[in-house]
Amino acid sequence: MAWTSKVLVSITILALFVIDQGQGCQVSTGAQTTKDWWETAQLYQIYPRSFKDSDGDGIGDLNGITSKLKYLKELGVTAAWLSPIFTSPMVDFGYDISDFFDIQPEYGTLDDFRALIKKAKELDLKIILDFVPNHSSNESEWFKKSVNREKGYEDYYVWHDGKVNATTGEREPPTNWLQYFRGSAWEWNEQRQQYYLHQFAVQQPDLNYRNPLVVAQMKRVLKYWLAEGVSGFRCDALPPLFEVLPDAEGQYPDEVISGATDDAEDRNHLTVKYIENQPETIDMVYQWRTVLDDYQRIFGGDSRVLLIETYAPAWFTMQFYGNRTTNGAHLPFNFNLITVMEQNEFSAKNVQLAIDLWLNNMPAGRTPNWVLGNHDKRRAASRYGQEHIDAMNMLIMVLPGASVTYQGEELGMTDVEISWEDTVDPWACNSNPEIYEQYTRDPARTPFQWTNGSNAGFTDGPTTWLPLASDYDTINVETESQAELSHLKIYEHLGALRKSSQTLKYGSTKYQTLLENSFVVERILANEPTIVFAANFGNTVAYLNLLEFDKNLPESLKLLIRSVESTKNYNNRYGTTSLRLEPGEALVMSTEN
Ligand SMILES: *[C@@H]1O[C@H](CO)[C@@H](O)[C@H](O)[C@H]1NC(C)=O
Ligand SMILES: *[C@@H]1O[C@H](CO)[C@@H](O)[C@H](O)[C@H]1NC(C)=O
Ligand SMILES: *[C@@H]1O[C@H](CO)[C@@H](O)[C@H](O)[C@H]1NC(C)=O
Ligand SMILES: *[C@@H]1O[C@H](CO)[C@@H](O)[C@H](O)[C@H]1NC(C)=O
Ligand SMILES: CC(=O)N[C@H]1CO[C@H](CO)[C@@H](O)[C@@H]1O
Ligand SMILES: [Ca+2]
Ligand SMILES: [Ca+2]
């Protein structure tokens, strides 16, 4: 092990910068000489179904991933996290698991998985698996046994008799709770003669975390895959893990109407006070952390990490990091760069807001992280605009902490319009042809683009499980690697800089909106070159005076990396008092000579 967390020594206490401009500025002191691997990790999400097909059936698989691990290494990736690869009827494309201890046959076998881990170890790449704790598939043995009230499984899920309507005398669900994928969160089971709760699809019954047998079983799942050599887990869908306790009569409370939408099937129609963000969920994450730490203590090796998915308000999300006495997740994923721009326009001020919201709320001594996309959101290049994809990739790689890239964002892949007929996402399929586009997640899940050849080099077979993007003839790994500069090359340069720069690992951070719509980030470390990122998110040319941002900057800076459209030259120097930035232009510069 190259690190020892017990011997962290402070060498640099950096002076605090005071800038008395209304535009905001953030300083954090980076004062450690060593960091654990995950604190500066470059994380990469693989959506296995769409990464690489090895056997021509048009569906990505484990052998496909193994054959492309070298590609990830070249990008500078430290760890890849895989969306679910476990046995599943694929109603929610793997997020409905029927056997948590085995591999989905169309993705491969346990031996294929072992080969993947072996190859990753050779390349010094870490593999992180998706852990889907909230629910199983209704095809799981656990659910079938629970339906039959088999001993030990009676209360594995959240069962309820329901209510009787006083007017009609008919049976009704226990509450008005809504699932994420539209409609009631309760489903009647004829055989057991009870309703079961499903916060996601009907085929995804919620496990009952108030049952210690379930808690123990899910810890067994973690230990099983740790023993197969994984470096940790990314936990799916934490907010709905626990629901409120029922009252003395066993009744649950209704949620009230939120006013957010009139569509009575849409989850946003109601508040989620009783079905999301319960305090017991925080404690459960702390317990999982203990499982990982115990494993490392016994078996040695690098830290096994816990990353978690929480679309929750800051007061809740930040508790996942841990409290004063107990550690929680290493990294609760930070989606602010996605969500803030869903609610507001994309601008320098809102980028600053997204960063502020995390850094100003994060408990002291914890590690930030920056997520640009995932398989639930539209493509980053489509959300921010293709002209800004380099800037956004630069931003997450220059900010302190871990960066998280969804497969294809390094190429600038864009959303694919998918017709109602071709739509497979259950969220969209539960709606109708008029409104499905506001729910569908298929456009960001299309096959990865490797070459300009047949089916973008994703498969040798004749078909792909989702349609391909039409722009794959130019947006693909092969073409972008051969170009003098491309989104891919820029991403590789950023990966290499992160590896070599002590400043990016340990430096303090300062950032600010300049002029109307430009944004600057600076990383500073004593006795090392300062790194400056500057981007123009606006539609007009900007002349930045970087000395207004930091009066200690030299007259000129050396250009390390530029966006594709920029006409500036690598290694040339550019003046700091009037730095001209074209619309969409983004640069990473250094004070080095
Ligand atoms: C799972 O749910 C689907 C949809 O309600 C149903 O058709 C199927 O029979 C269920 N399977 C089991 C084992 O309950
Ligand atoms: C009972 O059923 C009636 C008629 O369908 C409906 O209007 C009413 O909302 C129901 N009452 C409750 C408490 O759900
Ligand atoms: C931290 O969390 C643990 C586990 O949930 C709890 O037992 C403990 O009381 C908490 N400590 C503080 C200081 O809040
Ligand atoms: C496809 O890529 C190859 C290799 O990069 C290149 O030689 C060829 O011209 C490209 N074909 C098209 C149609 O762009
Ligand atoms: C980003 C992410 O992983 N989203 C998943 C959250 O959980 C639901 C249900 O398991 C999935 O449908 C999403 O894809
Ligand atoms: Ca395949
Ligand atoms: Ca739940």
Side-chain angles (χ1 to χ4, degrees):
M1 265 182 297
W3 56 272
T4 317
S5 56
K6 297 248 160 52
V7 294
L8 298 180
V9 186
S10 303
I11 41 157
T12 43
I13 305 295
L14 288 155
L16 294 187
F17 295 82
V18 181
I19 289 199
D20 52 357
Q21 285 184 344
Q23 289 186 306
C25 163
Q26 174 76 31
V27 178
S28 65
T29 49
Q32 302 177 345
T33 50
T34 52
K35 284 197 191 284
D36 201 348
W37 70 268
W38 54 271
E39 295 179 276
T40 57
Q42 187 180 331
L43 301 168
Y44 187 94
Q45 180 191 354
I46 292 180
Y47 194 69
R49 211 172 173 78
S50 291
F51 194 56
K52 173 71 185 163
D53 176 24
S54 71
D55 60 2
D57 67 353
I59 295 170
D61 46 50
L62 295 183
N63 289 339
I65 295 172
T66 308
S67 73
K68 293 297 184 183
L69 289 176
K70 230 175 120 241
Y71 167 72
L72 299 189
K73 191 68 193 171
E74 283 158 10
L75 292 181
V77 169
T78 339
W81 75 267
L82 273 49
S83 277
I85 54 173
F86 317 105
T87 320
S88 165
M90 292 286 157
V91 168
D92 193 19
F93 299 102
Y95 285 94
D96 50 322
I97 299 170
S98 54
D99 185 350
F100 285 79
F101 299 98
D102 209 348
I103 304 287
Q104 167 69 356
E106 64 188 347
Y107 292 168
T109 63
L110 204 48
D111 280 339
D112 293 334
F113 181 70
R114 289 175 178 149
L116 188 159
I117 292 284
K118 183 161 174 280
K119 180 76 186 170
K121 290 233 157 90
E122 281 165 28
L123 292 168
D124 192 25
L125 263 176
K126 292 184 157 62
I127 299 294
I128 292 171
L129 290 185
D130 213 324
F131 177 53
V132 186
N134 180 66
H135 45 267
S136 72
S137 162
N138 71 334
E139 302 286 338
S140 126
E141 288 306 313
W142 304 341
F143 187 73
K144 291 178 186 165
K145 288 177 178 171
S146 196
V147 166
N148 289 326
R149 296 180 197 262
E150 276 184 39
K151 194 164 169 347
Y153 292 88
E154 302 94 324
D155 300 320
Y156 242 61
Y157 295 84
V158 184
W159 295 101
H160 200 281
D161 292 336
K163 292 189 302 204
V164 177
N165 184 312
T167 326
T168 63
E170 277 177 26
R171 190 177 54 229
E172 276 180 356
T175 63
N176 65 351
W177 299 351
L178 293 166
Q179 56 162 306
Y180 282 95
F181 298 157
R182 298 180 58 79
S184 174
W186 296 101
E187 180 77 3
W188 178 252
N189 182 275
E190 207 43 55
Q191 195 180 338
R192 180 157 158 153
Q193 290 289 302
Q194 275 190 312
Y195 286 95
Y196 66 85
L197 178 74
H198 58 93
Q199 293 226 40
F200 292 89
V202 170
Q203 297 91 340
Q204 292 165 298
D206 274 48
L207 286 157
N208 176 15
Y209 275 83
R210 301 199 183 273
N211 179 350
L213 295 177
V214 169
V215 172
Q217 178 72 280
M218 296 312 278
K219 287 181 182 171
R220 217 170 283 138
V221 171
L222 295 176
K223 288 180 223 162
Y224 178 85
W225 293 106
L226 285 171
E228 289 291 343
V230 307
S231 297
F233 300 91
R234 173 275 184 185
C235 301
D236 178 61
L238 262 298
L241 195 71
F242 274 86
E243 296 75 29
V244 73
L245 271 171
D247 66 17
E249 276 85 54
Q251 296 305 318
Y252 292 106
D254 277 334
E255 295 281 2
V256 301
I257 290 173
S258 71
T261 167
D262 291 338
D263 182 346
E265 301 283 292
D266 189 308
R267 186 173 173 98
N268 292 327
H269 185 61
L270 303 176
T271 59
V272 287
K273 187 172 166 205
Y274 303 119
I275 59 174
E276 285 190 17
N277 304 345
Q278 304 301 306
E280 293 90 336
T281 303
I282 305 280
D283 180 66
M284 190 54 54
V285 167
Y286 295 1
Q287 291 187 37
W288 294 334
R289 170 68 183 259
T290 305
V291 171
L292 268 61
D293 287 352
D294 285 352
Y295 190 89
Q296 187 198 4
R297 205 160 27 75
I298 296 165
F299 296 99
D302 291 351
S303 298
R304 314 301 196 284
V305 297
L306 202 54
L307 321 173
I308 59 175
E309 186 204 27
T310 55
Y311 288 97
W315 68 265
F316 192 71
T317 299
M318 293 301 166
Q319 296 182 61
F320 282 112
Y321 272 120
N323 62 25
R324 251 169 281 143
T325 53
T326 314
N327 274 323
H330 296 78
L331 303 171
F333 274 167
N334 167 10
F335 297 115
N336 289 350
L337 288 170
I338 301 174
T339 53
V340 168
M341 256 64 73
E342 278 174 347
Q343 289 140 23
N344 309 276
E345 57 169 358
F346 173 61
S347 68
K349 281 204 174 64
N350 289 326
V351 166
Q352 178 169 331
L353 174 65
I355 299 172
D356 280 341
L357 277 176
W358 197 267
L359 294 184
N360 296 347
N361 287 306
M362 189 177 74
R366 302 292 177 182
T367 302
N369 68 93
W370 313 95
V371 183
L372 214 53
N374 63 37
H375 62 279
D376 280 350
K377 299 292 177 184
R378 296 313 180 91
R379 284 283 180 189
S382 298
R383 271 183 283 120
Y384 305 117
Q386 258 170 308
E387 67 278 26
H388 298 304
I389 189 64
D390 296 327
M392 294 308 280
N393 280 334
M394 288 175 187
L395 181 65
I396 62 166
M397 299 279 261
V398 160
L399 284 169
S403 65
V404 189
T405 296
Y406 174 53
Q407 67 178 43
E409 309 299 31
E410 75 277 22
L411 302 175
M413 276 178 67
T414 53
D415 282 343
V416 181
E417 255 185 64
I418 293 177
S419 69
W420 169 251
E421 287 70 30
D422 285 339
T423 293
V424 292
D425 177 15
W427 199 342
C429 295
N430 281 350
S431 70
N432 62 59
E434 267 66 60
I435 58 170
Y436 81 98
E437 280 175 318
Q438 74 187 77
Y439 298 104
T440 183
R441 298 169 295 174
D442 292 334
R445 297 177 173 184
T446 59
F448 193 84
Q449 294 152 210
W450 293 101
T451 70
N452 66 5
S454 164
N455 282 330
F458 165 71
T459 178
D460 294 334
T463 56
T464 58
W465 77 281
L466 272 179
L468 276 169
S470 55
D471 56 11
Y472 77 80
D473 54 335
T474 53
I475 300 184
N476 66 68
V477 173
E478 191 180 53
T479 305
E480 292 193 32
S481 321
Q482 285 166 6
E484 203 178 317
L485 196 60
S486 61
H487 301 312
L488 175 61
K489 284 227 163 133
I490 289 163
Y491 190 88
E492 280 172 3
H493 296 159
L494 290 164
L497 182 63
R498 264 172 86 94
K499 294 266 138 20
S500 63
S501 165
Q502 297 298 300
T503 309
L504 289 186
K505 278 202 187 85
Y506 305 117
S508 65
T509 308
K510 201 160 116 75
Y511 57 87
Q512 192 180 324
T513 299
L514 280 186
L515 300 176
E516 274 305 291
N517 212 351
S518 291
F519 194 69
V520 191
V521 179
E522 187 179 46
R523 303 290 310 278
I524 305 164
L525 186 66
N527 305 320
E528 291 285 336
T530 293
I531 305 276
V532 177
F533 159 79
N536 179 0
F537 293 137
N539 306 320
T540 54
V541 175
Y543 291 91
L544 303 187
N545 182 354
L546 294 179
L547 300 186
E548 273 176 22
F549 168 66
D550 177 1
K551 63 178 173 11
N552 297 317
L553 281 173
E555 238 167 60
S556 70
L557 293 169
K558 180 169 153 183
L559 181 75
L560 301 182
I561 306 172
R562 65 163 172 90
S563 52
V564 167
E565 299 294 337
S566 168
T567 55
K568 295 189 175 59
N569 294 313
Y570 272 53
N571 296 323
N572 276 11
R573 299 192 76 87
Y574 294 90
T576 43
T577 52
S578 186
L579 180 70
R580 182 188 162 106
L581 286 184
E582 302 298 322
E585 187 169 12
L587 311 172
V588 176
M589 296 166 290
S590 161
T591 55
E592 73 196 66
N593 288 320

